[in-house]
Amino acid sequence: MRREDILLFVIFFSIAFILIFKFLKIYLKKRHFIKIDAVVTDITKRTTYQKNIYIYYYEYYYKKEKYTTFDQTKYKILGFNPQIKNVYNIYINTKNPNECITPLELFLSKISFLFSILLIIIPFLL
């Protein structure tokens, strides 16, 4: 193999390893939590200086108590477009219901897993 090929393998595999590590971190955390339904209550677009921030608010009930959480992104993400009154699955900690894994984190972990698989396959095709 040439040096360029080896460098290409190292770069692609290292990025894939980092993305798989991020996916596994969320996956292992998700195994200790329970899955419940959350409803999107509000969507806010906050404009500050020259950037937009999209905030999605969720409401969920656990043991007859109401909890709220939110997701915040700088960009609109293709494939993630929650609308008001849509129901999404979230994972919460039973000991502390305020600690949760939001739908955006779940979506980004799936995307990172798919992208890591793609990064492992691409060097062999080149």
Side-chain angles (χ1 to χ4, degrees):
M1 291 184 95
R2 298 185 328 244
R3 287 177 65 177
E4 294 83 16
D5 294 339
I6 294 172
L7 183 62
L8 187 72
F9 269 87
V10 168
I11 289 172
F12 277 55
F13 284 163
S14 60
I15 294 171
F17 176 74
I18 291 169
L19 292 175
I20 288 174
F21 179 73
K22 288 175 103 176
F23 171 76
L24 284 176
K25 194 167 95 174
I26 296 287
Y27 178 75
L28 293 175
K29 187 177 177 183
K30 185 171 71 170
R31 286 182 55 196
H32 293 88
F33 288 6
I34 62 168
K35 180 169 59 168
I36 62 170
D37 292 333
V39 177
V40 180
T41 56
D42 191 20
I43 299 170
T44 306
K45 178 182 175 185
R46 183 180 300 160
T47 305
T48 58
Y49 298 104
Q50 295 183 1
K51 64 180 178 179
N52 294 326
I53 299 173
Y54 299 96
I55 305 171
Y56 306 101
Y57 296 96
Y58 305 102
E59 181 179 280
Y60 57 94
Y61 292 92
Y62 179 68
K63 291 188 178 177
K64 298 183 182 179
E65 291 185 36
K66 177 176 151 183
Y67 296 96
T68 59
T69 188
F70 66 94
D71 280 331
Q72 182 173 341
T73 86
K74 190 174 181 181
Y75 305 106
K76 280 244 184 217
I77 299 173
L78 186 66
F80 183 75
N81 189 17
Q83 300 297 322
I84 294 177
K85 301 223 176 177
N86 282 0
V87 178
Y88 289 96
N89 292 327
I90 65 170
Y91 292 86
I92 64 166
N93 190 353
T94 55
K95 296 176 184 157
N96 182 10
N98 289 323
E99 181 183 352
C100 64
I101 301 173
T102 61
L104 181 64
E105 289 176 318
L106 293 171
F107 181 77
L108 291 178
S109 71
K110 289 176 187 175
I111 295 297
S112 68
F113 180 68
L114 294 174
F115 194 62
S116 65
I117 290 173
L118 185 68
L119 285 174
I120 290 172
I121 293 172
I122 286 177
F124 291 111
L125 297 177
L126 298 176

